[in-house]
Amino acid sequence: MKFRLIFLSLVFSFFFAQAQNYIGTVNSLVSTAGNYSLTHSPEKLYLQLDKQTYGINDTLWFKAYLFDASSFKASNQSNIAYIELSDESNIVQTRRMVILTNGLGSGSIPLPSRDFPEGGYTIRAYTQWMRNFDESNIFKKQFYVSDVNRDKWLIGYNSAIKDEVAQLHLQLTGTNKKFISNQQVLLGIRQGESILRRDKPQVTSPNGTIDLAIAVLDKPEPVYASLHKGSYDDKFPVYKFPIIYNRPEKTDVQFMPEGGYLVAGITSKVGFKAIGEDGKGVNLSGNIIDNTNKQVAAFTAQAKGMGAFTFAPKPGVSYKALINLPDGTKKEYPVPEVKPAGTVLSVTNPVQGDSVIITIKASEGLNNHYMLLGQSRGLICYGASVNLTANNSQTLKAPKNAFASGIVKFTLLNDQLATLNERLIYIDQKDNLRITVTPHKSSYTTQDSIALNVEVKDSNNNPVQGNFSMSVINDMRLNNDTVKTSIIT
């Protein structure tokens, strides 16, 4: 987009010009950058949907909230929001424009069966101004369209792989939690629109189980199993689910040094994350060994395949990780390359403390003058001049009350304002609104009217005036929102 390229060029030109005038002047840089951010702040758009799952030929109702990303106040910068609904193949099925007044808008979108058959969909919402920024700023949420008039099957399965053959053990139950027993079904294997295999009819066991053996297929496109009720004729219901392998040797382990990289001679904290082939975290352990096979560090995942350890790399030495996989085998993984010289940024965010502790360390012989900035919601909320001591390190404290709730980014810059290290943390000021909804009585009869008392207070128990939305639907048709998105996230 031409406007976006021009805009970004202006941003970089602006900050380069300011760098020449404000080197070493933290307060001036913070003030100038802050003013620029306020006048060029991105927008955030949130859509509150009436539910997560819709029926065939249903209607999707929504309310839109547009606010400034820095202040979290209603934005008047844009008065039109664009909404798109796309299917699982990322094909847009419908588009809508919504008028926004003082940052608010609402509407509905019909979901006719010809355009929205049963399946998963994604709703995207944005303004034209938002398209000048990163794609992550665009609102996205998944929802499902389901045929509520036919029986539902719930399919659970586990798999075991041996000699490149996956043994799938399926169990079918109804929404009433009863087994689908003695039911004739047909199983097929698909990849995209291609049919790779069709089995002969099978009958489920009394406890609703059925087994399937398939060859492991290492292909870029996902492979699906299709379960047909009755026959392969399209008029019968088809249940499709992905075949997910979970081979231990395919476990992905990533090492992430705090501040961005390892520096020889400086102790660093290294975070790691282990992800299985099924996309879930893998709890494992391992060791860091040098090029002489000497162990220099050990680590164990604490939760969902994640953990951290400290490590002091030496100059001229290479390292690798020897991982103990869940099946008992071992596998080597690379460790990020060690830089011969540089800086290390370490940030500690104590749960009970009122300050964030920041430690900067640098190799000998480097410039001892740096600049540290802390950003929240795109605004620079903290700035400090860093002058390293004789041991090439300095520890600072940044008050937490300088930042809003959310992600805070600390950036270490040199005297030319070049970024050296970055570190993200999350600060929770516990300032969420407290919303209480109280019905005027405990039970109601058919076609009765319901009166609700809605009370909103801030963290200091003061009343809050605002604009809110509420959805009321049949509890029998309500599916819990497993994504748990909210206007906060």
Side-chain angles (χ1 to χ4, degrees), residues 151-155 171-183 204-209:
D151 294 336
K152 299 294 182 183
W153 287 2
L154 303 178
I155 304 174
Q171 185 169 51
L172 312 182
T173 57
T175 54
N176 57 4
K177 298 183 179 180
K178 293 183 178 180
F179 297 130
I180 306 297
S181 59
N182 302 316
Q183 170 68 53
T204 59
S205 69
N207 60 351
T209 62

Side-chain angles (χ1 to χ4, degrees), residues 437-449:
V437 181
T438 307
H440 73 297
K441 57 184 181 180
S442 58
S443 60
Y444 297 87
T445 60
T446 303
Q447 296 185 345
D448 201 351
S449 297

Side-chain angles (χ1 to χ4, degrees), residues 82-101:
Y82 300 86
I83 299 176
E84 299 175 349
L85 272 59
S86 57
D87 59 20
E88 292 174 322
S89 299
N90 203 30
I91 298 175
V92 176
Q93 297 298 321
T94 188
R95 289 184 174 91
R96 291 287 190 276
M97 291 191 301
V98 179
I99 301 298
L100 301 174
T101 304

Side-chain angles (χ1 to χ4, degrees), residues 389-407:
T389 58
N391 62 354
N392 297 308
S393 69
Q394 183 177 355
T395 298
L396 305 170
K397 288 187 177 181
K400 292 185 180 181
N401 59 15
F403 307 99
S405 289
I407 295 175

Side-chain angles (χ1 to χ4, degrees), residues 259-274:
Y261 48 80
L262 295 170
V263 178
I266 301 180
T267 300
S268 298
K269 181 184 290 185
V270 181
F272 68 90
K273 184 176 184 179

Side-chain angles (χ1 to χ4, degrees), residues 44 143 259 302 423 440 471:
K44 292 284 187 178
F143 66 94
Q302 300 300 313
R423 175 74 157 83
H440 73 297
S471 174

Side-chain angles (χ1 to χ4, degrees), residues 17-51:
Q18 295 305 318
Q20 307 306 308
N21 297 325
Y22 294 103
I23 290 177
T25 310
V26 178
N27 291 336
S28 297
L29 178 62
V30 170
S31 176
T32 304
N35 291 335
Y36 185 83
S37 296
L38 286 174
T39 57
H40 296 79
S41 176
E43 297 172 325
K44 292 284 187 178
L45 182 61
Y46 179 79
L47 260 59
Q48 177 67 51
L49 306 186
D50 60 329
K51 50 190 174 183

